[in-house]
Amino acid sequence: MMKTDLCIINNNYEAYDGKAVTVGGWVRSARDLGSFGFIDLNDGTTFKGLQIICDDNLVGYDTAIKLNAGSSILCQGTIVLTPGNKQPYELKATKIEILNATDETYPIQKKRHTPEFLRDNAVLRSRTNIFNAVFRIRNTCAFAIHEFFQKENFMYVNTPIITSADCEGGSDVFRVTTHKFYDKKYMETATPENDFFGKNVFLTPTGQLEAEAFALAFSKVYTFGPTFRSENSNTTRHASEFWMIEPEMAFCDLKGDMEVMEKMIKYIINSVFSKNMTELEFLDQFVEKGLIDKLRNVVNHDFAHCTYTEAIDILKKHNDKFEYKVEWGCDLQSEHERYLSEQIFKKPVFVTDYPKDIKAFYMRMNEDGKTVAACDLLAPGIGEIIGGSQREERYDVLLQKIKDFGLKEEDYRWYLDLRRFGSVVHSGYGLGFDRILMYVTGMTNIRDVQFCPRTPRNCNF
Ligand code: 4AD
Ligand code: MG
């Protein structure tokens, strides 16, 4: 058995005029109008569903037309063009086979559900228009990212998920262990040395350090994979498991790094424009008014740039508006990041040259001895979507930073060695995939752009 995907018909419906097809999918709604009725069907292959028209002389009409939302059916019929109607074609059913009929307990009904309700029904929410739109765009963005880097001669590498390098230097990580924490007696003799890997290992919070090693062999590489952070921040933009894209480029400084970031973001958005206009129109109407104009502005204008020091000078003038008052040396909070991108620059902005003490050890020290060649890309409505930097390529400076940060030199031996064996200027960045999706879809909670969101105290299936 092979049904015809609704996207195939939708993309070329005029050619299907009068053709017999078999389609399968899930009922969105069914309406009995007496001598005939409609079934609104969706199979997930296209945002737009298919309207099936059923005559009351169809075998099993009475049962089919009373189907609840969520029921699965196979339907044979003929495509008929309906010019001038809301949908330009429909399927005239000749046979309907009910595969699995839902009852009234099916949670997703044809009405607007709250995001909380949908999160509680995380599996079935994929059948709503909103998730159909979001995940279709997620697919486009993932593909566009690979396409962008492949066209730019980057090599895709898979960095390890289990790692012994706590790369962000103190960022919260999940331990990976086979020790039996539920067995008190066993735990009396448990040590990192007699654990599975003979030392402490973690779920990776970033693939950057390994990507650096690859970049110093292949020049331009990128990772695209899951990353994990156990920070206990219950915000709308933090997840415990999220996907990150981490390009790393040899012979590239911070300026070149930012050029790639901007080009990549524009490439992603343009891909969504060319493949998902229907979805964007839906999201513009129901999720973020003005979404399409916002994205058009992003692709048509240069991103803004300012240094951290300039940003602090600007923000200080508005300190009365912030919960956390700013001064030079402080970490920028989300309220500051958003104020800069939303109120001051009104577009994505690169903030560069942060104080060395609030950024990771591997970032390259600037001439002033106080700041590092780092940059964050801040986007209106979200805040940070990219964090990147030029890497410290000088052996002695890096070694001193490792010591200053209280890290163990032996843990970073291989990383230091890269600075002894053919070190070059190199840079990279991390794009939070779920965050760029929030930006492109207008969704305001990271839990609503992930299939199975993992957040503190929440890992449901
Ligand atoms: O700024 P971060 O921590 O940078 C790094 O991990 C570097 N190693 C990247 C690199 O230079 N290769 O994280 C990068 C991006 C952030 O800008 C943000 O978009 C996203 O990852 N991110 C998160 N997204 C969702 N949930 C979280 N808990 C996130 N933490 C970071
Ligand atoms: Mg960051």
Side-chain angles (χ1 to χ4, degrees):
M1 177 197 90
M2 195 70 186
K3 71 171 179 95
T4 305
D5 293 341
L6 296 190
C7 67
I8 297 175
I9 302 171
N10 192 43
N11 291 346
N12 198 12
Y13 63 84
E14 278 165 340
Y16 274 89
D17 188 22
K19 288 232 165 89
V21 290
T22 301
V23 297
W26 296 271
V27 172
R28 286 285 177 87
S29 64
R31 274 175 300 148
D32 186 1
L33 300 177
S35 60
F36 68 102
F38 292 115
I39 294 177
D40 184 9
L41 189 78
N42 199 296
D43 74 347
T45 63
T46 167
F47 182 73
K48 284 188 182 143
L50 174 70
Q51 175 156 288
I52 301 174
I53 178 155
C54 313
D55 245 36
D56 68 349
N57 56 16
L58 189 76
V59 178
Y61 175 83
D62 290 338
T63 324
I65 213 65
K66 289 196 181 66
L67 282 172
N68 279 307
S71 302
S72 48
I73 62 168
L74 275 176
C75 176
Q76 289 175 18
T78 314
I79 297 288
V80 274
L81 298 191
T82 52
N85 284 7
K86 206 170 134 213
Q87 53 284 311
Y89 62 95
E90 56 192 21
L91 180 72
K92 195 166 176 350
T94 50
K95 185 182 172 196
I96 289 188
E97 185 187 340
I98 299 166
L99 303 176
N100 183 229
T102 58
D103 60 20
E104 60 293 340
T105 60
Y106 181 68
I108 309 292
Q109 295 301 325
K110 201 175 176 155
K111 61 169 187 174
R112 284 190 84 172
H113 293 290
T114 64
E116 291 77 18
F117 175 86
L118 290 173
R119 267 173 233 146
D120 288 342
N121 291 281
V123 174
L124 291 173
R125 70 179 180 170
S126 343
R127 297 204 197 150
T128 61
N129 277 334
I130 206 159
F131 285 89
N132 191 315
V134 166
F135 283 92
R136 201 169 292 292
I137 290 177
R138 194 174 167 112
N139 172 59
T140 298
C141 291
F143 189 77
I145 286 164
H146 280 296
E147 198 174 51
F148 172 79
F149 285 113
Q150 295 293 329
K151 279 188 183 165
E152 299 275 334
N153 302 325
F154 282 71
M155 199 180 77
Y156 176 42
V157 298
N158 304 119
T159 46
I161 288 173
I162 298 175
T163 180
S164 60
D166 170 12
C167 340
E168 289 304 293
S171 75
D172 304 296
V173 284
F174 290 102
R175 276 275 290 282
V176 177
T177 176
T178 50
H179 279 333
K180 301 170 188 149
F181 286 89
Y182 48 84
D183 184 338
K184 250 188 168 165
K185 185 104 194 85
Y186 172 95
M187 287 310 288
E188 280 168 15
T189 54
T191 62
E193 289 70 34
N194 63 18
D195 202 350
F196 190 87
F197 289 104
K199 57 162 125 170
N200 286 329
V201 298
F202 318 97
L203 289 179
T204 188
T206 161
Q208 179 198 324
L209 302 196
E210 293 90 348
E212 278 187 59
F214 260 67
L216 295 180
F218 295 97
S219 287
K220 299 203 284 189
V221 301
Y222 71 103
T223 71
F224 190 160
T227 45
F228 308 87
R229 304 223 175 147
S230 63
E231 55 202 333
N232 203 358
S233 33
N234 247 314
T235 77
T236 52
R237 18 174 245 135
H238 287 89
S240 315
E241 176 178 329
F242 59 99
W243 282 60
M244 220 201 300
I245 295 94
E246 296 188 273
E248 195 65 37
M249 295 159 276
F251 311 99
C252 177
D253 62 8
L254 185 65
K255 187 161 171 285
D257 204 17
M258 289 191 284
E259 282 165 13
V260 178
M261 296 179 207
E262 182 163 344
K263 200 169 173 193
M264 174 200 67
I265 297 281
K266 290 178 175 174
Y267 191 92
I268 296 172
I269 295 175
N270 276 326
S271 291
V272 176
F273 275 140
S274 69
K275 294 185 181 161
N276 301 104
M277 232 24 235
T278 313
E279 290 83 349
L280 284 179
E281 277 158 12
F282 174 84
L283 293 167
D284 194 305
Q285 191 180 350
F286 294 107
V287 175
E288 181 183 335
K289 297 256 176 301
L291 174 70
I292 294 175
D293 283 346
K294 174 187 89 174
L295 296 175
R296 282 234 165 81
N297 269 325
V298 173
V299 290
N300 290 332
H301 294 96
D302 291 341
F303 293 1
H305 289 258
C306 82
T307 65
Y308 168 89
T309 305
E310 286 161 356
I312 293 293
D313 287 344
I314 296 169
L315 291 170
K316 257 187 177 163
K317 297 193 189 114
H318 305 277
N319 251 339
D320 54 313
K321 299 197 181 72
F322 304 132
E323 191 187 337
Y324 296 95
K325 312 294 171 203
V326 297
E327 56 182 305
W328 202 95
C330 76
D331 210 351
L332 294 185
Q333 304 292 324
S334 159
E335 55 173 343
H336 310 130
E337 296 178 338
R338 292 189 53 178
Y339 196 83
L340 278 173
S341 58
E342 286 162 30
Q343 307 297 328
I344 306 293
F345 293 99
K346 299 186 170 43
K347 58 179 174 177
V349 52
F350 288 111
V351 178
T352 60
D353 304 294
Y354 284 79
K356 67 177 188 338
D357 297 331
I358 59 169
K359 287 289 181 190
F361 75 95
Y362 52 72
M363 298 185 175
R364 191 181 198 277
M365 186 80 88
N366 285 330
E367 296 305 312
D368 61 15
K370 289 192 299 197
T371 60
V372 285
C375 83
D376 279 357
L377 179 64
L378 313 179
I382 315 271
E384 179 190 338
I385 56 173
I386 296 182
S389 73
Q390 191 170 323
R391 319 306 189 189
E392 186 53 77
E393 85 286 11
R394 297 162 296 186
Y395 182 90
D396 295 339
V397 185
L398 182 63
L399 180 61
Q400 191 54 50
K401 280 290 271 301
I402 286 174
K403 288 180 181 158
D404 292 348
F405 273 71
L407 303 171
K408 284 196 215 113
E409 192 181 324
E410 64 268 25
D411 289 348
Y412 294 90
R413 195 64 256 158
W414 65 270
Y415 190 67
L416 280 160
D417 279 350
L418 291 172
R419 276 71 182 167
R420 292 202 298 141
F421 304 134
S423 187
V424 296
V425 167
H426 64 288
S427 302
Y429 63 87
L431 165 70
F433 187 52
D434 312 279
R435 294 228 183 130
I436 181 77
L437 272 161
M438 291 171 71
Y439 189 63
V440 173
T441 59
M443 300 298 276
T444 52
N445 196 314
I446 197 163
R447 295 166 181 82
D448 299 332
V449 297
Q450 298 188 320
F451 180 34
C452 305
R454 273 81 178 88
T455 49
R457 317 206 67 72
N458 172 34
C459 183
N460 282 338
F461 47 88

